[in-house]
Amino acid sequence: MREPVHITGPAATGPDLQELMGEVARGDGDAFAAVYDRVAGPVLGLARSIVRDPAQAEEVTQEVLVEVWRLAAHYQPDKGSAMAWIMTMAHRRAVDRVRSAQAATDREQRAALLERTPAYDEVTEQVESRLEREQVRRCLRNLTELQRQSVTLAYYRGLTYREVAELLALPLGTVKTRLRDGLIRLRDCLGVSA
């Protein structure tokens, strides 16, 4: 019976990731294939945990691995491990993808909201509002002095009928009658149907 052979040290795993990155920086395709084999799974796992959509996570993984090939010369071993450098790129790329997708969704929602919002012409509304106010002022000038005072106090200053009567020193019934008559004249002047 043969005893199991235990392989230890660098022969078991081949060159470490940092050494492979140096070779990739020099354009070694075989070294890149070895890097790919070692990091594709962890990069995909990280991307899936952030992006959630499997297809999007695969795209992020592909983009990161292309970036590893292109930027391998920028890797600085003294600033951290190769795996940390690659995973940082993967994290940033995945977060960018999520933000981009959210921004697109937000734009689509705003566009949909704008389509449902009726057209609004501020200038037209301001002109109409001014014209209406001027028409009300003109109609108020056609009231008797007591009607105008009663309507102004009750509807523009917000006083109760009783407060208007006290302020004008008139009986409550008289104020109510003047208010009713004044409002009828205003309605007729403004052309509002009852």
Side-chain angles (χ1 to χ4, degrees):
M1 211 158 70
R2 292 180 51 199
E3 297 218 1
V5 176
H6 297 286
I7 301 175
T8 58
T13 59
D16 72 1
L17 197 52
Q18 286 181 221
E19 292 172 13
L20 288 170
M21 286 299 295
E23 293 173 26
V24 171
R26 289 185 290 278
D28 186 335
D30 292 333
F32 178 72
V35 169
Y36 182 97
D37 291 339
R38 289 191 190 176
V39 301
V43 169
L44 179 60
L46 177 65
R48 275 193 177 171
S49 71
I50 295 171
V51 177
R52 301 281 186 217
D53 177 14
Q56 293 284 327
E58 289 174 7
E59 285 183 25
V60 167
T61 301
Q62 181 179 5
E63 291 169 6
V64 169
L65 292 169
V66 168
E67 204 169 356
V68 167
W69 172 254
R70 285 184 35 248
L71 301 176
H74 295 281
Y75 166 63
Q76 298 172 357
D78 57 325
K79 297 213 175 171
S81 72
M83 183 60 91
W85 183 71
I86 293 168
M87 295 304 276
T88 299
M89 284 194 306
H91 183 267
R92 287 180 182 156
R93 181 69 63 149
V95 169
D96 287 348
R97 179 65 60 102
V98 170
R99 287 180 181 156
S100 175
Q102 185 60 49
T105 300
D106 292 347
R107 279 191 304 274
E108 289 170 7
Q109 287 175 344
R110 283 192 302 270
L113 183 61
L114 287 175
E115 288 175 5
R116 288 182 282 165
T117 304
Y120 177 75
D121 187 350
E122 189 175 329
V123 175
T124 302
E125 189 169 304
Q126 287 176 353
V127 169
E128 288 175 358
S129 180
R130 268 193 207 132
L131 290 173
E132 289 171 357
R133 284 194 305 267
E134 186 53 42
Q135 186 178 8
V136 168
R137 285 187 193 112
R138 187 174 33 78
C139 290
L140 277 171
R141 285 191 295 265
N142 291 334
L143 301 179
T144 67
E145 183 63 27
L146 188 55
Q147 288 173 337
R148 185 173 40 257
Q149 285 177 336
S150 300
V151 168
T152 301
L153 291 171
Y155 291 97
Y156 288 101
R157 293 200 183 159
L159 300 178
T160 65
Y161 288 4
R162 184 169 307 284
E163 291 170 333
V164 172
E166 290 173 4
L167 189 64
L168 297 176
L170 293 171
L172 180 60
T174 302
V175 169
K176 287 182 178 180
T177 301
R178 298 299 178 254
L179 277 167
R180 185 194 72 228
D181 292 346
L183 291 175
I184 289 171
R185 286 180 70 181
L186 278 175
R187 180 192 69 204
D188 292 344
C189 179
L190 294 170
V192 178
S193 59

